[in-house]
Amino acid sequence: MVPSFSAIAGFTLTASLLISQYYPNYSIRASSILTFLALFSLLAVVRTVWTAVLWPHVFSPLKNLPEPKGGSFLMGQFPVILKYPTGEPARGWVDDIDHNGLLRYRYIFNAERLILASPEALREVLVTKNYQFIKPPQIGKSIGRILGVGVLLAEGDEHKRQRKNLSPAFAFRHIKDLYPIFWAKAREATSALTGEFHRSRTSDTNQSLTVEIGGWASRATLDIIGVAGMGKDFNSLQNPRNELTQAYQRVFDPGKVGRILQLLGIFLPIWFLRRIPVQRNTDIREANTTIKRTCLSLVQDKRKRLEKGARTDYDILSVAIESGGFSDEDLVNQLMTFLAAGHETTASAMTWTILLLCQNPAIQARLREEVRGRLPSLSDASKGITSTDIDSLPYLNAVCNESLRFYPPVPSTLRQAAHDTTILDQPVPRGTTIIMSPWAINQSKKLWGPDARSFNPDRWIDSTTGHANNTGGADSNFSFLTFLHGPRSCIGQAFAKAEFACLLAAWVGSFEMELAEPDREIDIKSGITARPKGGLLVKLKPIGGW
Ligand code: HEM
């Protein structure tokens, strides 16, 4: 195990103080500072030569794995990774390089990274040896302030315990009762958009309304997780300037400074980075205060209600309180996790789907026909929907699945080998970073066939029966990685799919949609979730008669 730079700094500081005190002849100009600097520089150079040159090029057991051609001697593929959106380089490598399920690439200063490129490799890491691979600890230290230190960041037995206590809230028998809430919020979003249309309409020629659809999606999904997950309506659809919405808006857009801080995190301790006086750090601090305060008041209100003997609710918060397994501080952390993990992801899915439907007007029209033909009108508030109404629409579900395949909201995620282990019999040293890229796997031609990179909802419909199929035609479940698999897969998958289908059905049934800037090239904004860079401007044209 190679000592970290901070360990080297600690060691050399102690050594130089001792040398100056007891062996002054060996110190540099009798100065402990100069001795420290000289010793630290020497050890830092030795460490760098070992980790950046000798280990990856000569000694590493991973050195013979296939890797992308043409990396820099010292920086490997880091320049390519930096240039393209998260997950994009891996998408090419998984298909273009011959491999047996594992690929290696070299990151900054040749730090080795292993891409899992086959269903077998993914199964081993996500299921068979799940707890041998942890989330890299620096993730918790950096985004933990926004994500909360809850089930998403817990490890080992602690993760098992938390997941078990939270699981009842996500069982389908409970999620199915939430469809009416999802539908009601979808209706509210649609009428808010229609209201905007009427307000902005200045003449009869002004037939459509241009909106940044990603912002609307985020506010709708934040309100949904509030009502359905915590029994609280944040009202961000009605009030876009709401404190919580703004807090998330700021932190989910890291900008250049955020990305630089993230890279510096590889070398410098997080406590130091947090103290750098840049706006990004202020934004995170303020967002953390707002989000924590909101979650604490939710926990306190819910506890009071339950103590007064109110009927037990079955939202995530009530289930977590009733399990008895969480202190108030734990509960605040869990709520922070669900708020963050549970709204930005689904909003990203909505945004990409609207883009795809604008780019494919025939698919949009076919979906609208199914929705308007089979679901009750949104304008009739007395007519609710059930889970069966939504789940029995084959084309709606096909479009949702295909969009989640095509643009997975989390394009890439990381693990780290907790100790020396193997994947597909390949020795993997402790500390190796493992990359799982839903984007690369979901669009791999090796796994999905030659049309893997086309948006084709029909792959999710059985051509003979016309019914939905659950595989999209892929041979393995592990070819669809959007929610991962195994004990650490997305706990909110059923929740997400249901709210996504309801929102999409309501929007597509109510508006014709086209891109406001059809010639603009869509760049992808990197981050934990992927979004179109600069937002997505869409022209909405309300269509009556439903
Ligand atoms: C389309 C929407 C969504 C997508 C694509 C998605 C995707 C994911 C992915 C890929 C992970 C695994 C991350 C990792 O381990 O590296 C994950 C975990 C998680 N997701 Fe989701 N998610 C979505 C919606 C939701 C919703 C709505 C909720 C809550 C209501 C939620 C709660 C969670 C939680 C708590 C975890 C951590 C699970 C664990 O570690 O045991 N997600 N999600």
Side-chain angles (χ1 to χ4, degrees):
M1 160 119 178
V2 183
S4 65
F5 281 107
S6 9
I8 293 178
F11 169 75
T12 44
L13 186 64
T14 318
S16 48
L17 289 172
L18 291 174
I19 291 171
S20 308
Q21 179 82 16
Y22 298 109
Y23 305 98
N25 291 346
Y26 290 97
S27 68
I28 297 180
R29 294 195 190 162
S31 156
S32 45
I33 294 180
L34 288 179
T35 311
F36 165 73
L37 288 176
L39 252 181
F40 179 77
S41 311
L42 178 72
L43 289 182
V45 168
V46 170
R47 182 192 189 277
T48 306
V49 170
W50 171 256
T51 55
V53 182
L54 295 175
W55 176 260
H57 287 296
V58 184
F59 294 104
S60 166
L62 306 175
K63 75 175 193 302
N64 292 324
L65 284 174
E67 67 176 18
K69 284 204 179 75
S72 118
F73 181 74
L74 210 56
M75 289 289 181
Q77 282 72 32
F78 178 63
V80 180
I81 297 283
L82 206 58
K83 186 166 165 197
Y84 293 101
T86 311
E88 168 67 39
R91 197 166 68 120
W93 297 336
V94 162
D95 266 3
D96 300 342
I97 302 175
D98 268 346
H99 59 78
N100 288 325
L102 295 177
L103 291 168
R104 176 184 87 146
Y105 75 88
R106 287 170 291 118
Y107 195 58
I108 198 160
F109 289 119
N110 282 338
E112 292 179 299
R113 295 188 149 194
L114 208 52
I115 300 181
L116 305 184
S118 72
E120 295 73 24
L122 286 159
R123 185 191 305 277
E124 198 168 327
V125 170
L126 288 173
V127 181
T128 330
K129 296 181 177 168
N130 174 57
Y131 287 110
Q132 294 187 22
F133 297 92
I134 56 173
K135 309 218 167 154
Q138 65 268 32
I139 291 191
K141 286 187 199 145
S142 53
I143 53 174
R145 280 184 296 172
I146 299 304
L147 282 183
V149 191
V151 64
L152 184 79
L153 294 173
E155 295 293 348
D157 286 346
E158 180 54 24
H159 174 262
K160 272 187 212 158
R161 184 187 74 81
Q162 294 189 13
R163 179 114 184 178
K164 189 165 162 247
N165 283 337
L166 292 165
S167 287
F170 294 96
F172 188 72
R173 70 189 144 75
H174 169 51
I175 299 294
K176 78 176 173 28
D177 295 335
L178 299 178
Y179 280 62
I181 295 182
F182 300 150
W183 191 244
K185 269 288 167 196
R187 173 187 292 119
E188 189 185 322
T190 313
S191 58
L193 279 163
T194 312
E196 287 274 302
F197 172 80
H198 291 305
R199 263 195 302 282
S200 74
R201 203 167 162 199
T202 49
S203 73
D204 279 349
T205 51
N206 191 358
Q207 293 293 327
S208 63
L209 166 75
T210 299
V211 293
E212 197 290 292
I213 204 76
W216 279 88
S218 290
R219 281 153 47 208
T221 53
L222 182 61
D223 280 359
I224 288 181
I225 187 76
V227 179
M230 291 140 207
K232 161 92 183 170
D233 195 337
F234 298 124
N235 271 324
S236 66
L237 273 170
Q238 307 300 340
N239 174 15
R241 304 206 59 75
N242 147 332
E243 212 189 3
L244 196 60
T245 319
Q246 297 208 329
Y248 280 118
Q249 248 167 24
R250 278 198 305 272
V251 292
F252 281 138
D253 191 356
K256 253 199 189 112
V257 177
R259 278 195 293 281
I260 293 172
L261 288 177
Q262 217 176 334
L263 281 178
L264 288 176
I266 300 173
F267 309 104
L268 298 172
I270 300 287
W271 61 261
F272 174 77
L273 293 175
R274 281 187 191 173
R275 282 173 177 73
I276 299 178
V278 285
Q279 187 59 38
R280 174 74 184 154
N281 277 334
T282 314
D283 286 350
I284 295 194
R285 244 188 330 270
E286 287 175 3
N288 169 274
T289 310
T290 305
I291 297 167
K292 248 191 175 150
R293 188 174 359 97
T294 308
C295 292
L296 185 61
S297 100
L298 285 173
V299 170
Q300 288 169 340
D301 288 355
K302 184 67 83 174
R303 270 221 196 275
K304 272 191 210 131
R305 266 173 55 77
L306 293 177
E307 274 162 19
K308 277 189 197 146
R311 191 186 66 83
T312 303
D313 299 321
Y314 219 50
D315 54 38
I316 305 168
L317 179 54
S318 305
V319 169
I321 291 181
E322 302 243 313
S323 76
F326 301 105
S327 67
D328 277 9
E329 197 187 334
D330 291 342
L331 288 168
V332 168
N333 275 300
Q334 298 298 353
L335 287 198
M336 288 173 76
T337 300
F338 288 113
L339 277 182
H343 93 273
E344 202 40 36
T345 40
T346 317
S348 156
M350 273 302 286
T351 311
W352 288 120
T353 310
I354 303 288
L355 170 70
L356 289 163
L357 293 180
C358 290
Q359 290 170 333
N360 296 276
I363 295 178
Q364 185 184 146
R366 182 172 157 196
L367 177 59
R368 180 172 303 114
E369 197 185 317
E370 182 187 75
V371 164
R372 289 167 69 108
R374 303 262 302 262
L375 292 179
S377 163
L378 265 190
S379 52
D380 186 350
S382 66
K383 287 209 179 111
I385 48 110
T386 64
S387 60
T388 318
D389 294 333
I390 293 286
D391 294 346
S392 64
L393 300 192
Y395 203 59
L396 173 63
N397 286 285
V399 169
C400 290
N401 282 334
E402 180 65 350
S403 172
L404 288 167
R405 179 191 76 86
F406 200 79
Y407 279 125
V410 181
S412 184
T413 186
L414 302 176
R415 293 289 186 271
Q416 186 174 305
H419 43 75
D420 291 346
T421 180
T422 57
I423 305 174
L424 303 178
D425 295 329
Q426 161 69 45
V428 175
R430 173 185 172 190
T432 304
T433 301
I434 313 290
I435 306 288
M436 291 179 285
S437 171
W439 202 18
I441 294 295
N442 288 8
Q443 288 205 7
S444 166
K445 291 182 184 164
K446 287 177 182 159
L447 302 173
W448 290 90
D451 74 337
R453 294 202 184 171
S454 316
F455 177 69
N456 173 18
D458 277 317
R459 74 177 82 240
W460 297 90
I461 294 183
D462 191 303
S463 55
T464 42
T465 64
H467 294 147
N469 76 52
N470 291 326
T471 64
D475 289 339
S476 162
N477 283 344
F478 286 79
S479 303
F480 182 80
L481 210 55
T482 302
F483 297 98
L484 299 192
H485 292 278
R488 299 219 69 148
S489 61
C490 175
I491 199 173
Q493 176 170 349
F495 184 112
K497 282 181 145 180
E499 67 168 323
F500 177 30
C502 289
L503 277 175
L504 185 63
W507 288 12
V508 95
S510 307
F511 304 106
E512 264 172 23
M513 300 179 271
E514 60 179 277
L515 294 177
E517 305 163 306
D519 299 328
R520 189 184 119 200
E521 200 166 314
I522 301 290
D523 287 331
I524 300 178
K525 177 169 77 70
S526 291
I528 300 175
T529 52
R531 290 278 196 128
K533 208 181 228 165
L536 185 69
L537 288 181
V538 174
K539 278 195 207 169
L540 300 180
K541 186 170 157 200
I543 28 176
W546 180 43

